[in-house]
Amino acid sequence: MVAYVFYFLASFCLIKISFKSLIFVFGYVVFTSLALAVSSLSGKVSVTAYLIEMYLFIPMVLFLLDPIRSNANTLSIIRLISVGLCLLSVANMMTLGFPARLPYIHYLPDAYGGLYGLGGAKVVTVLGFLALFAELYQKDKSKLYIILGILNFIVPNYLLGVFCGFLALGVIFVTNLRFVLLMSLPGVAVLMYALSRLSGIDNTIAEDFGFLPKIYAYYKIFEVYVENPHLILSGVGLGQYASTSALWASDYLKEISSHGIPNIPGFFMSSYHDIYLGEVLSILSDNFWALSSSFNKPYTSLATMFIENGFLFTFLFLVLIKRKVFMMFPGRFGFSLFVFILSLFLLDTWHDSLWLGYMLILIKGIPRNASIQKDTVNYSRFAKMRNNSRC
């Protein structure tokens, strides 16, 4: 709980809040509140789940809207995060006998997950990739922090995140033969391990429902709106389907959750979650491993946003992400970052992650840090030339 408060407040500390963005946030709150009211006419909704989801989503909104503070050295913060992730992950593995006992050999690589608990490997992978991205953008790259970024990105073996990261790196370095060769060795190792993991993944959802879990997630969009056409523009409401707060409130996910349902007034599973996900999630009562991997969870960010936020806001959100990313990083780096974010949203639930929102806010400062670094280098060269001319 402390981490959720820290990342939320840290996001605000980095941002220079503008009046225009306050107007946008106010409009978004009014729109989603009205949407929840409309949704409540045809189903049971949780206002508390809506408020929690709004809290979790705010850092992503800040990333889209507001500029970073001029005195924020985001590269230094990102590098500190890289070091912290590595040290905490090693500390976690030491409780399992590291270095005498090694990940991949004696226990799952998920142990390289900081101290985030269940699902920590996912967080370390995504933050590790973004730290690597930030380092690769620098004119004077640090080999140490590139190595740390690669370790945090690859070692936890969150396969969906690694796949998204390699797609994004491919955009940047598709013509760089040396980098392709450098990444081929860990890439092959990850691929071989991925194949062994995939062969052991439970296929209950595909066998019982006729769809692969991620395809099933998008099939549900059409089912929800065929039965509730009046909600197609506004959605069923934040926190009412498969966003983080909705999953926290789910009676079906108690078996695989790292905590029980928080005892907060008005926090309960909505009827939309129950009706449209209950059937598939109820298989957990007979088969604990049915949702044991990110691959076989029947929900994703994009599918959830279309259902909870409606088509209007979801399209606007995607347009704003594309616009913001290409304003920050014109060219291949912008396309790379957009590919990474979009593929994460297509394959898993990340849109309301405080960790991702905070890291993307830090990434906003990277172009400025790189330009300051470049200007410093150019000034040093100019000063050196001037001194030589005096001599």
Side-chain angles (χ1 to χ4, degrees):
M1 184 59 69
V2 174
Y4 284 97
V5 175
F6 169 78
Y7 278 92
F8 182 83
L9 294 178
S11 298
F12 269 97
C13 291
L14 289 168
I15 290 296
K16 187 161 59 176
I17 305 294
S18 65
F19 180 74
K20 184 171 68 173
S21 65
L22 289 176
I23 295 296
F24 180 90
V25 171
F26 177 75
Y28 178 61
V29 170
V30 170
F31 171 79
T32 53
S33 299
L34 291 174
L36 190 69
V38 172
S39 178
S40 68
L41 299 176
S42 53
K44 182 179 70 173
V45 299
S46 168
V47 175
T48 305
Y50 162 81
L51 294 174
I52 292 174
E53 185 61 22
M54 179 66 73
Y55 175 87
L56 296 174
F57 193 58
I58 286 295
M60 187 65 71
V61 174
L62 294 177
F63 160 69
L64 292 175
L65 296 179
D66 287 311
I68 202 89
R69 289 185 180 275
S70 58
N71 60 347
N73 188 342
T74 59
L75 180 61
S76 296
I77 299 174
I78 289 173
R79 287 175 169 176
L80 185 62
I81 288 173
S82 286
V83 173
L85 290 175
C86 184
L87 292 178
L88 292 176
S89 297
V90 170
N92 193 46
M93 291 193 300
M94 288 177 72
T95 64
L96 300 173
F98 182 84
R101 302 179 75 245
L102 300 173
Y104 291 89
I105 299 174
H106 300 106
Y107 46 86
L108 291 176
D110 304 59
Y112 191 97
L115 296 177
Y116 287 102
L118 189 65
K122 297 171 61 172
V123 177
V124 173
T125 296
V126 170
L127 299 191
F129 170 80
L130 290 173
L132 175 62
F133 176 90
E135 204 61 49
L136 292 173
Y137 190 76
Q138 303 306 308
K139 181 177 178 62
D140 295 328
K141 299 173 179 57
S142 167
K143 292 182 180 179
L144 171 63
Y145 290 107
I146 287 177
I147 291 171
L148 279 176
I150 291 173
L151 284 175
N152 292 333
F153 168 49
I154 291 180
V155 174
N157 211 257
Y158 165 45
L159 295 177
L160 289 179
V162 172
F163 172 75
C164 297
F166 271 106
L167 276 182
L169 290 174
V171 172
I172 300 173
F173 296 107
V174 66
T175 59
N176 189 325
L177 182 59
R178 187 175 68 173
F179 188 84
V180 170
L181 292 174
L182 178 65
M183 294 300 292
S184 62
L185 184 59
V188 169
V190 168
L191 177 62
M192 292 177 64
Y193 184 78
L195 292 174
S196 67
R197 285 281 292 267
L198 290 173
S199 64
I201 286 181
D202 193 284
N203 292 319
T204 302
I205 293 178
E207 292 170 357
D208 290 0
F209 295 92
F211 294 100
L212 292 172
K214 298 306 177 185
I215 296 176
Y216 181 87
Y218 291 98
Y219 164 75
K220 281 295 173 179
I221 298 174
F222 298 99
E223 183 177 333
V224 169
Y225 287 127
V226 165
E227 296 181 10
N228 303 275
H230 60 291
L231 299 177
I232 193 166
L233 293 180
S234 59
V236 303
L238 284 182
Q240 310 306 312
Y241 177 67
S243 54
T244 297
S245 63
L247 298 178
W248 285 351
S250 176
D251 292 332
Y252 298 103
L253 297 179
K254 293 178 182 177
E255 299 298 325
I256 63 172
S257 176
S258 59
H259 52 75
I261 296 176
N263 188 20
I264 305 173
F267 190 55
F268 53 82
M269 178 175 68
S270 76
S271 61
Y272 296 102
H273 178 89
D274 188 16
I275 293 169
Y276 295 107
L277 278 179
E279 184 181 13
V280 66
L281 297 182
S282 63
I283 63 177
L284 283 169
S285 59
D286 298 320
N287 182 1
F288 174 83
W289 300 105
L291 272 71
S292 59
S293 168
S294 297
F295 278 96
N296 52 14
K297 288 183 171 59
Y299 36 78
T300 71
S301 276
L302 209 54
T304 297
M305 291 192 69
F306 274 118
I307 292 173
E308 288 193 354
N309 293 275
F311 279 71
L312 185 64
F313 175 79
T314 302
F315 280 121
L316 174 62
F317 177 74
L318 293 175
V319 169
L320 287 175
I321 285 183
K322 179 178 179 294
R323 179 174 174 269
K324 173 61 68 175
V325 166
F326 280 96
M327 283 176 60
M328 292 159 45
F329 302 98
R332 285 185 298 172
F333 274 87
F335 187 44
S336 171
L337 185 57
F338 182 69
V339 165
F340 181 70
I341 297 171
L342 184 61
S343 56
L344 271 183
F345 286 2
L346 279 167
L347 298 174
D348 209 350
T349 303
W350 279 98
H351 66 286
D352 53 2
S353 166
L354 288 176
W355 338 118
L356 178 61
Y358 175 65
M359 198 67 168
L360 287 176
I361 290 172
L362 288 173
I363 290 291
K364 288 172 71 169
I366 291 302
R368 190 189 67 220
N369 286 141
S371 64
I372 291 172
Q373 185 185 58
K374 183 177 179 181
D375 291 343
T376 303
V377 171
N378 289 340
Y379 178 79
S380 299
R381 289 175 180 171
F382 172 75
K384 185 176 180 181
M385 290 172 60
R386 186 176 60 181
N387 292 334
N388 290 338
S389 65
R390 287 178 178 177
C391 295

